[in-house]
Amino acid sequence: MRFLSVLFSSLFLIITSCGSTAKPSDLFGIHLEGNKKDFSKGSTVGIALNNKKGVKVSKVSYFLEDEALQVSNGKITLNPERLGSKMLKARIIYDDKEVEITKSIKVLAEKPPSIYTYEVINTYPHDINAFTQGLEFYNGVLYESTGIKGESSLRKVDFETGKILQQIDLDATLFGEGLTVLDNKVYLLTWQSGLGFVYNADSLEKTGSFTYGNSKEGWGLCNNGKELFKSDGSEKIWLLNPENLSETGYFTTVTNKSVFNKTNELEYVDGKIYANVWQKPSMMIIDAKSGAIEGVINFSGLKNRVKQHSKLDVLNGVAYHPERGTFFVTGKRWNKLFEVKIKKK
């Protein structure tokens, strides 16, 4: 009798392990060809359901995030609009139950970034004390934000003379960061306080404030005429509704090899985001829909052309002048503002 009791107990454990009490991940797994986790955009890869317990399955459907994937000859194509870390899902029907299992993957850029260099067209004076964080032209006027607690400001500048036309100072407890101008409103970030501000572009009068949502910090801002793009020191660029400043989503910046998290000051031009690389004399060209880093601009040597002093800091600040078709770049505590053309190497 004791033998039969042990036998029945063992059978019960086997049956219930495949029944309703089993976790979906105990029963199934997603197997990808080559056991890879990183894929280029557009990759076609073999996929199969790992049925760990031999359960009778009625149907399997695959999704990338919430987008249904078509399976053809046991293969799927990974072609999301936005790149980066993604959740691959399998929805499985068995025994009149529907369960879902997931697998984390990365979808990266198809090609390596192209390399660009620069040509200096003009050089203009720039406030050597300005710890430049944001830079943008609006109606022919250069708007600039500066950082450092006790020194942070928002200003309008005559770019040809370097003269400050108008300036307001931030509270001494705040560290100013990037800015952008849209529909006669200046949107300004601060670094770690979780606060942003809105100003009238003409008077620089403060008209509102906003807090951050899921983004970590305030770094850079730009806009495409409809929505704002915000960097926060992570691999993400956030999309903001300019009406209520809510975060409506994000995309991840990636190369063909990895996720990249050094995006700082931003400028939007013709579907691309030009972004300073934090602490580096370089800039990225990012596709504003997919997040693919399509180019890298090497600005090495530019810092050597400004006055050398003890507080001199890194390249930071990029503004596009649409009428001139050129970019303006400077750095933190640089005494010069450079008008440049960007050229492919």
Side-chain angles (χ1 to χ4, degrees):
M1 289 295 293
R2 182 169 182 175
F3 170 77
L4 288 175
S5 176
V6 172
L7 178 61
F8 287 137
S9 297
S10 300
L11 286 172
F12 176 78
L13 288 173
I14 292 170
I15 292 168
T16 55
S17 69
C18 296
S20 60
T21 59
K23 295 179 181 178
S25 58
D26 293 334
L27 300 176
F28 308 108
I30 300 172
H31 176 74
L32 295 174
E33 185 179 353
N35 289 318
K36 291 173 60 178
K37 291 186 177 180
D38 294 358
F39 302 91
S40 297
K41 178 180 169 67
S43 292
T44 297
V45 58
I47 190 168
L49 182 69
N50 180 8
N51 192 337
K52 301 176 184 179
K53 303 294 185 181
V55 175
K56 186 177 180 180
V57 173
S58 304
K59 183 180 179 181
V60 183
S61 303
Y62 294 103
F63 299 81
L64 189 61
E65 301 293 340
D66 293 318
E67 182 181 350
L69 295 171
Q70 299 298 317
V71 182
S72 177
N73 297 321
K75 294 179 180 292
I76 56 171
T77 299
L78 301 171
N79 198 29
E81 182 179 54
R82 295 178 183 174
L83 305 179
S85 299
K86 300 289 176 184
M87 195 64 71
L88 184 62
K89 303 175 183 177
R91 291 178 188 162
I92 306 144
I93 297 176
Y94 77 101
D95 292 342
D96 296 324
K97 303 182 186 73
E98 181 174 324
V99 297
E100 182 176 279
I101 58 172
T102 60
K103 187 180 186 73
S104 297
I105 63 170
K106 291 177 184 174
V107 184
L108 305 176
E110 296 175 82
K111 301 176 182 177
S114 298
I115 305 301
Y116 292 79
T117 186
Y118 65 96
E119 176 187 355
V120 176
I121 305 300
N122 288 299
T123 303
Y124 304 99
H126 180 254
D127 180 6
I128 197 170
N129 295 310
F131 196 81
T132 303
Q133 299 287 55
L135 208 62
E136 187 165 303
F137 281 101
Y138 183 73
N139 292 338
V141 176
L142 184 63
Y143 288 75
E144 181 174 9
S145 55
T146 69
I148 301 294
K149 290 182 179 180
E151 300 179 26
S152 297
S153 68
L154 168 62
R155 52 181 71 174
K156 294 159 73 171
V157 179
D158 181 336
F159 76 89
E160 292 181 303
T161 65
K163 180 182 178 182
I164 300 172
L165 304 174
Q166 198 173 352
Q167 176 174 323
I168 60 160
D169 296 326
L170 274 63
D171 187 278
T173 61
L174 299 173
F175 194 117
E177 282 285 347
L179 64 76
T180 195
V181 193
L182 176 62
D183 294 335
N184 216 49
K185 296 177 182 178
V186 182
Y187 300 88
L188 174 68
L189 300 174
T190 61
W191 182 25
Q192 294 179 319
S193 61
L195 278 174
F197 300 100
V198 185
Y199 302 86
N200 178 279
D202 296 323
S203 65
L204 298 190
E205 177 187 359
K206 188 191 295 183
T207 59
S209 63
F210 59 97
T211 57
Y212 307 156
N214 292 315
S215 57
K216 292 171 57 177
E217 298 174 351
W219 285 43
L221 271 181
C222 66
N223 76 84
N224 63 359
K226 296 179 180 179
E227 56 194 345
L228 311 185
F229 299 88
K230 174 182 182 288
S231 61
D232 69 346
S234 73
E235 72 281 2
K236 297 173 181 176
I237 293 182
W238 297 83
L239 285 70
L240 276 62
N241 181 329
E243 295 302 318
N244 57 23
L245 284 305
S246 63
E247 294 167 358
T248 60
Y250 68 86
F251 58 83
T252 304
T253 53
V254 300
T255 67
N256 61 313
K257 292 185 177 180
S258 64
V259 171
F260 192 79
N261 64 352
K262 301 292 184 181
T263 307
N264 198 3
E265 217 271 289
L266 310 177
E267 181 78 354
Y268 180 95
V269 184
D270 296 333
K272 311 297 178 186
I273 293 175
Y274 291 73
N276 285 121
V277 180
W278 184 67
Q279 293 290 313
K280 299 290 183 182
S282 58
M283 196 178 295
M284 296 176 284
I285 304 173
I286 303 166
D287 183 86
K289 287 188 176 179
S290 70
I293 300 171
E294 298 180 340
V296 176
I297 310 162
N298 185 354
F299 279 102
S300 292
L302 201 58
K303 187 178 178 181
N304 297 330
R305 301 175 67 161
V306 305
K307 183 176 181 179
Q308 306 297 298
H309 60 96
S310 60
K311 291 187 176 182
L312 184 66
D313 214 313
V314 296
L315 173 85
N316 199 55
V318 51
Y320 181 71
H321 196 297
E323 288 75 30
R324 300 165 76 103
T326 54
F327 288 87
F328 286 70
V329 297
T330 188
K332 299 174 181 181
R333 305 197 195 280
W334 287 22
N335 72 325
K336 293 179 181 178
L337 174 72
F338 297 95
E339 183 179 9
V340 302
K341 284 190 174 180
I342 294 168
K343 305 185 299 182
K344 200 169 185 178
K345 256 192 170 182

